[in-house]
Amino acid sequence: MTMKSRLFMVLASALLIGLFFVPMWSITLEAPQYPKGYELGILISINEVRGANEFDLQNVNGLNHYIGMKPIDEKAIPELEYMPLIVGVLIAVGLLTSLIGKRQLVIVWLVLLLIAGTLGMYDFYRWEYDYGHNLDPRAAIKIPGMSYQPPLFGSEKLLNITAYSYPALGSYLILLSVALAGWAWWASRKAATKLPLATAGT
Amino acid sequence: MKSMLTLLLISSIATSALFFTGCSGGTDTKAIGSVADAAMKVYVAPGAKDEFYDFASGGFSGQMAVIGLPSGRLIRVIPVFSMDPEKAYGFSEETKPMLMTSHGFIPWDDSHHPEFSMSDGVPDGRFLFINANNTPRVARIDLTDFRTKEILEIPNSSGNHSSPFTTENSEYIVAGTRFSLPIPNEDVSIQAYSEKFKGTLSFVKMDKATGRLSLAFQLMMPGFDYDLAHAGKGPSHDWIFFSCYNTEKANTMLEINASQNDKDFIVAVNWKKCEELAAQGKGQIVNVSYAHNIYNDETHTASSVMEKDVRILTSADTKGNVYYMPTPKSPHGCDVAPNGELIVGGGKLATVIPVLSFSKMLKAIQDGKIDKEIDGIPVLNYKACLAGEVEKPGLGPLHTEFDDKGFAYTSMFVSSEIVKWSLKDFKVVDRVPTYYSIGHLGIPGGDTKKPWGKYVLAYNKITKDRFLPTGPELFQSAQLYDITGEKMKLLLDFPTIGEPHYAQACPADLIVKNSKKIYQLAQNKHPYATKKEADARVVRKGNEVHVYMTSIRSHFAPDNIEGIKVGDKVYWHITNLEQDWDVPHGFAVLGANNSELLIMPGETCTLLWEPKTPGIYPFYCTDFCSALHQEMQGYVRVSPSGSSTALTWNSRK
């Protein structure tokens, strides 16, 4: 790998540090009672689930009790404990890759990232399914056949609430990281074909 | 497309307005000009917001009305000096102390003049002050949550009318006596008026950081009626001016006896110098007793203390710093132009509007142009202080406000009109009728250094046929006029609460940006706050029962209580656990000789209930809070006095 490719790999790994600080996903709930500008928002990071505004999570939980949805409680989500570890390992492997400078390791890293991302999305879906379907049978509002699973991606109207589910800054950081790593791999491929010629002279 | 639709809508409103004109004959099309234009200017489309806040005093309602301009929509009523069962103001244990005075608890007053807190001569959007006229007090309203946070009683005063006008940076808020009194008040013959009765001008200091008020000093004045005031600005920063009438010192049939002198006065006080004199210990400390009520934001609770002592400065103490300027005739309004140079007197019975000059006043003082002295206070020569007179302005000039283009607008009670005149040559340039008999008028920032000269409002004393009839008793009417052009144009009629006197308006942004949405539960330091449902409980202390209750959509905790006995004083301390904008919960219990509670998110309120007969008493949430609001209810069992029913309550864990 060229110095430039190594540097890009460092950058690609370093970008993932951002995941500790910015949310990866955002769910926004809009309703007649929570109009534009005053929507409720939930922001999901690798290490926390919080409201977009100070009391949004509390208010979402307050509304959800009518349909018997269990409250969103960080303590009940073990992923928030081990997702930071996974991301930490990915960062370490990425940095190691750039140190060792083996091109194939970049692919390994990208595959690891892809697996982590896919598992993450699946896990997210699983939680959404659980919150949306696993309802208290004594709930005040019960509509036969109705579940309240927010969409994985996009928007959906659930009773009076329209839920919007979209990637947040963290997801874009991952995309950028993938692009940088891909570039590092691509650039060093060219380098690999050229390098023997260049080194032949020395 | 959107504007086409708006146009279409406006013209259909206009058409119907014209149609109704044909039927009722109520619309003065001459004053309005194009009805469509007028409708367009005041139409605030659904979801859009008004451009200005207008705070109009509630007059004999004792409250403050909050109105949006240009729509004229009433958007809030702030309780200040009168009890308000809707908001439990004066009914809840937390707010009862706000209405304490040296005369005990007073449920009502007459509020006249709102005044913004000022920084450098313009409203800073922090506080609003308003006076109580009957039992002299000054209140401070917090504009972050539109609540009354402080009420200070003014001793040695009666008819606190020339109040609460503030200096350029709200260094002081003033309070002048309308009804002179023996000071200290004592049992004397009313016939002793001219010799024993005095007026006072009080200077209330505002702490810049907290807004807290304190009575700094009072000036002892001759026994006239001190009517209105306005502080100087710019060059006249150090001075404040009060109008006064009844310089005849009449004590009966004032309508005749106080209307004899051709000229009464505007008093000029150098407050800066008086402040220095007070600081030097001039004058004397007089023992008095006056209530000082402060609402604590952290405990959501007011406390009332009786303050003692006030420093009084006499004319001997303030020599060279207080002057009378003759002003025709029985002046009411006392208004200072944005440049701080011109002082306009509203001589109710005068045939002209006198305009006094601050610089000429200083020169007259310097040149010793003094006609006489009254109780040691020099009376300056009228002509020496006069900048000019507005000739033939109309009848019964009361108040003057200013725009940002060099014009003054004076309300004419008797001829029922607003008269626009030039500050350059004092010539009348326009006049419009008002419906009917205008008192105060208001331009956003119209008494400040920088008026927003877009509208003038007429606050009228007589309504008659302006709205659908409601029997003998009617709301007062107000009118909104466009003043952006050469000619004033009537745009809108709207009703107001009580009887508005003065009002203050400012651009909405000034207040919107600081507006609170909830009270933080975490910062609630109410001694009886219950911050989570698990802590809800009932505690007996002798015959006092304290219910630590929570409310959240859609239940109370606890909602079943037994073991209350006849003769108990039950304190319902209810904490609203919500932290969401516009989710108040109410509370009412059967047979309570009290109001409801209306508890804002994060707040704790207390209702005292003294049940008189055994039985079951339901209680419920009075504010439609949620889909299951009707389910938000509970029961309390009252047993006979001395019964053995154990004190129990349920909890939902």
Side-chain angles (χ1 to χ4, degrees):
Chain A
M1 282 167 82
T2 60
M3 271 317 283
K4 215 172 186 180
S5 289
R6 286 172 185 233
L7 197 69
F8 270 66
M9 234 1 249
V10 171
L11 271 176
S13 315
L15 273 176
L16 298 186
I17 297 171
L19 296 182
F20 288 86
F21 304 102
V22 298
M24 279 196 303
W25 213 264
S26 145
I27 296 178
T28 306
L29 306 175
E30 197 185 300
Q33 298 79 12
Y34 297 92
K36 275 218 157 51
Y38 301 97
E39 305 98 329
L40 296 170
I42 302 169
L43 300 175
I44 300 152
S45 311
I46 55 165
N47 51 2
E48 66 168 359
V49 176
R50 64 180 172 90
N53 304 293
E54 196 179 357
F55 298 107
D56 278 6
L57 195 60
Q58 174 181 336
N59 292 328
V60 167
N61 285 337
L63 294 175
N64 284 346
H65 97 275
Y66 289 115
I67 51 167
M69 192 185 282
K70 58 186 173 195
I72 300 166
D73 180 6
E74 283 187 324
K75 289 187 207 90
I77 307 173
E79 284 86 335
L80 301 175
E81 295 294 326
Y82 60 74
M83 282 216 304
L85 292 175
I86 294 172
V87 173
V89 167
L90 279 168
I91 292 167
V93 171
L95 290 174
L96 215 60
T97 301
S98 74
L99 199 70
I100 296 167
K102 283 224 167 179
R103 222 178 130 244
Q104 291 84 340
L105 278 179
V106 178
I107 289 294
V108 172
W109 189 77
L110 278 169
V111 168
L112 281 178
L113 193 60
L114 189 73
I115 292 169
T118 311
L119 282 176
M121 285 306 283
Y122 172 70
D123 189 53
F124 178 44
Y125 174 84
R126 219 175 45 89
W127 274 110
E128 283 193 330
Y129 184 91
D130 182 49
Y131 277 118
H133 290 81
N134 192 0
L135 304 170
D136 185 346
R138 282 180 40 80
I141 299 172
K142 272 193 285 190
I143 298 171
M146 180 89 189
S147 67
Y148 305 95
Q149 182 177 354
L152 192 64
F153 184 95
S155 70
E156 194 172 337
K157 195 159 163 62
L158 303 162
L159 300 185
N160 60 326
I161 292 169
T162 308
Y164 300 88
S165 176
Y166 289 107
L169 185 56
S171 294
Y172 297 112
L173 288 181
I174 296 172
L175 281 183
L176 193 59
S177 175
V178 167
L180 283 171
W183 193 92
W185 178 76
W186 183 255
S188 54
R189 190 187 71 141
K190 280 189 213 159
T193 51
K194 281 176 186 170
L195 211 64
L197 292 174
T199 44
T202 57
Chain B
M1 190 58 201
K2 210 171 183 183
S3 61
M4 275 297 288
L5 273 174
T6 314
L7 256 172
L8 216 64
L9 188 66
I10 296 288
S11 36
S12 66
I13 292 170
T15 318
S16 47
L18 284 169
F19 172 72
F20 282 116
T21 308
C23 298
S24 67
T27 310
D28 183 344
T29 41
K30 204 178 130 217
I32 300 172
S34 159
V35 176
D37 281 356
M40 191 87 105
K41 280 184 174 137
V42 299
Y43 183 67
V44 177
K49 286 171 195 76
D50 280 297
E51 187 185 353
F52 294 95
Y53 277 104
D54 184 41
F55 297 91
S57 63
F60 42 62
S61 83
Q63 318 295 46
M64 177 91 78
V66 187
I67 295 161
L69 297 179
S71 72
R73 295 181 292 193
L74 179 71
I75 51 179
R76 184 78 188 150
V77 175
I78 307 170
V80 188
F81 295 115
S82 295
M83 296 173 81
D84 182 350
E86 174 194 316
K87 304 172 188 78
Y89 184 78
F91 290 91
S92 71
E93 294 306 295
E94 288 79 7
T95 56
K96 279 178 186 172
M98 289 306 284
L99 299 178
M100 284 305 294
T101 72
S102 61
H103 305 273
F105 181 90
I106 292 185
W108 168 92
D109 214 304
D110 178 19
S111 59
H112 279 234
H113 311 119
E115 181 91 340
F116 282 126
S117 59
M118 309 277 262
S119 289
D120 195 25
V122 292
D124 57 21
R126 294 178 72 202
F127 305 116
L128 194 60
F129 306 104
I130 189 162
N131 62 321
N133 196 50
N134 185 47
T135 302
R137 283 169 287 170
V138 169
R140 177 172 57 89
I141 294 165
D142 184 339
L143 291 177
T144 63
D145 63 355
F146 287 54
R147 279 190 173 180
T148 306
K149 294 292 168 68
E150 188 171 10
I151 293 182
L152 179 69
E153 192 178 358
I154 309 294
N156 297 328
S157 179
S158 175
N160 177 37
H161 197 266
S162 41
S163 179
F165 300 94
T166 105
T167 54
E168 219 174 331
N169 296 298
S170 292
E171 293 96 339
Y172 288 95
I173 291 106
V174 298
T177 322
R178 175 168 150 212
F179 311 121
S180 286
L181 288 174
I183 292 174
N185 205 347
E186 56 181 340
D187 174 20
V188 297
S189 166
I190 299 168
Q191 301 311 313
Y193 186 104
S194 64
E195 125 207 23
K196 290 226 164 136
F197 287 38
K198 301 281 177 203
T200 54
L201 304 178
S202 303
F203 287 76
V204 174
K205 182 128 189 95
M206 187 193 83
D207 181 87
K208 194 83 190 162
T210 62
R212 288 280 174 91
L213 306 176
S214 59
L215 181 55
F217 58 90
Q218 297 186 309
L219 305 186
M220 184 79 87
M221 301 292 289
F224 306 153
D225 288 34
Y226 296 87
D227 203 16
L228 279 158
H230 260 109
K233 37 194 170 247
S236 52
H237 171 82
D238 295 355
W239 293 75
I240 185 160
F241 309 93
F242 296 82
S243 61
C244 64
Y245 63 101
N246 193 22
T247 55
E248 297 86 349
K249 290 191 176 177
N251 58 283
T252 175
M253 282 298 285
L254 264 67
E255 66 169 319
I256 301 295
N257 296 329
S259 303
Q260 296 307 305
N261 289 347
D262 181 42
K263 289 192 181 61
D264 298 276
F265 303 119
I266 281 177
V267 191
V269 176
N270 187 328
W271 60 264
K272 195 93 185 164
K273 281 276 173 0
C274 291
E275 175 184 56
E276 285 169 29
L277 294 167
Q280 289 160 18
K282 290 272 168 22
Q284 56 169 331
I285 303 286
V286 175
N287 188 249
V288 284
S289 181
Y290 58 101
H292 192 178
N293 313 330
I294 298 172
Y295 183 88
N296 182 315
D297 281 326
E298 291 184 323
T299 61
H300 303 289
T301 304
S303 60
S304 178
V305 294
M306 283 296 159
E307 304 255 17
K308 305 247 174 281
D309 300 341
V310 61
R311 179 176 300 278
I312 296 187
L313 303 173
T314 63
S315 61
D317 301 314
T318 60
K319 205 156 190 63
N321 298 302
V322 180
Y323 295 91
Y324 279 127
M325 289 189 279
T327 307
K329 177 183 181 175
S330 299
H332 189 55
C334 178
D335 301 294
V336 181
N339 63 10
E341 158 65 10
L342 299 174
I343 304 138
V344 182
K348 299 188 292 280
L349 307 174
T351 53
V352 297
I353 302 170
V355 185
L356 303 169
S357 153
F358 175 70
S359 56
K360 283 190 169 179
M361 179 197 89
L362 289 185
K363 189 154 192 314
I365 293 169
Q366 203 181 354
D367 298 348
K369 295 265 174 64
I370 291 159
D371 288 352
K372 59 176 174 180
E373 275 195 5
I374 300 174
D375 296 357
I377 297 172
V379 178
L380 297 170
N381 180 270
Y382 174 58
K383 286 270 187 290
C385 299
L386 192 69
E389 289 173 338
V390 181
E391 305 275 354
K392 297 202 177 96
L395 300 170
L398 291 183
H399 304 278
T400 301
E401 292 261 296
F402 306 91
D403 70 11
D404 46 355
K405 298 176 212 75
F407 294 98
Y409 300 75
T410 302
S411 59
M412 298 285 170
F413 177 83
V414 178
S415 52
S416 185
E417 59 186 336
I418 295 173
V419 172
K420 177 182 178 182
W421 50 276
S422 164
L423 287 172
K424 279 200 196 81
D425 56 12
F426 311 123
K427 291 273 193 299
V428 172
V429 295
D430 191 25
R431 57 181 73 233
V432 284
T434 63
Y435 309 90
Y436 304 92
S437 284
I438 180 174
H440 278 269
L441 78 175
I443 290 172
D447 67 338
T448 72
K449 253 181 176 169
K450 287 176 190 153
W452 291 271
K454 197 164 180 184
Y455 306 109
V456 64
L457 284 116
Y459 299 97
N460 302 295
K461 302 302 184 192
I462 296 168
T463 307
K464 302 271 190 193
D465 62 346
R466 295 309 284 184
F467 309 115
L468 290 174
T470 56
E473 202 169 349
L474 310 166
F475 268 1
Q476 315 291 89
S477 75
Q479 274 102 38
L480 181 78
Y481 301 81
D482 178 0
I483 56 166
T484 52
E486 254 176 58
K487 296 279 175 197
M488 293 177 273
K489 277 191 186 144
L490 176 58
L491 301 176
L492 184 72
D493 257 31
F494 62 92
T496 55
I497 62 152
E499 185 206 352
H501 294 263
Y502 199 28
Q504 295 259 286
C506 73
D509 305 344
L510 208 56
I511 290 168
V512 171
K513 63 180 186 211
N514 299 322
S515 201
K516 270 190 190 143
K517 294 197 163 55
I518 57 162
Y519 298 107
Q520 295 262 343
L521 189 64
Q523 286 163 22
N524 179 336
K525 292 187 181 151
H526 193 295
Y528 292 97
T530 312
K531 296 200 184 178
K532 50 184 197 288
E533 241 176 81
D535 295 342
R537 63 199 184 276
V538 184
V539 176
R540 176 180 284 284
K541 281 183 189 161
N543 74 333
E544 272 186 17
V545 176
H546 294 272
V547 182
Y548 293 75
M549 187 180 263
T550 62
S551 65
I552 193 161
R553 284 166 285 179
S554 309
H555 59 273
F556 293 106
D559 65 1
N560 280 196
I561 300 170
E562 301 200 359
I564 305 295
K565 291 165 198 168
V566 170
D568 281 348
K569 288 163 89 91
V570 181
Y571 292 91
W572 300 89
H573 306 288
I574 304 175
T575 303
N576 181 347
L577 297 179
E578 307 279 358
Q579 293 286 269
D580 196 359
W581 190 26
D582 198 18
V583 190
H585 289 293
F587 176 84
V589 57
L590 173 69
N593 300 101
N594 211 336
S595 74
E596 66 158 348
L597 290 177
L598 207 53
I599 313 133
M600 295 304 123
E603 187 185 21
T604 304
C605 292
T606 304
L607 189 84
L608 172 60
W609 178 54
E610 296 172 86
K612 293 183 186 65
T613 49
I616 297 294
Y617 290 79
F619 56 85
Y620 73 105
C621 172
T622 52
D623 186 302
F624 206 109
C625 57
S626 61
L628 297 172
H629 158 75
Q630 288 298 86
E631 283 70 14
M632 195 162 169
Q633 58 177 345
Y635 289 105
V636 53
R637 173 183 171 189
V638 176
S639 302
S641 162
S643 81
S644 59
T645 317
L647 187 67
T648 56
W649 65 93
N650 64 336
S651 62
R652 178 178 167 277
K653 292 268 166 73

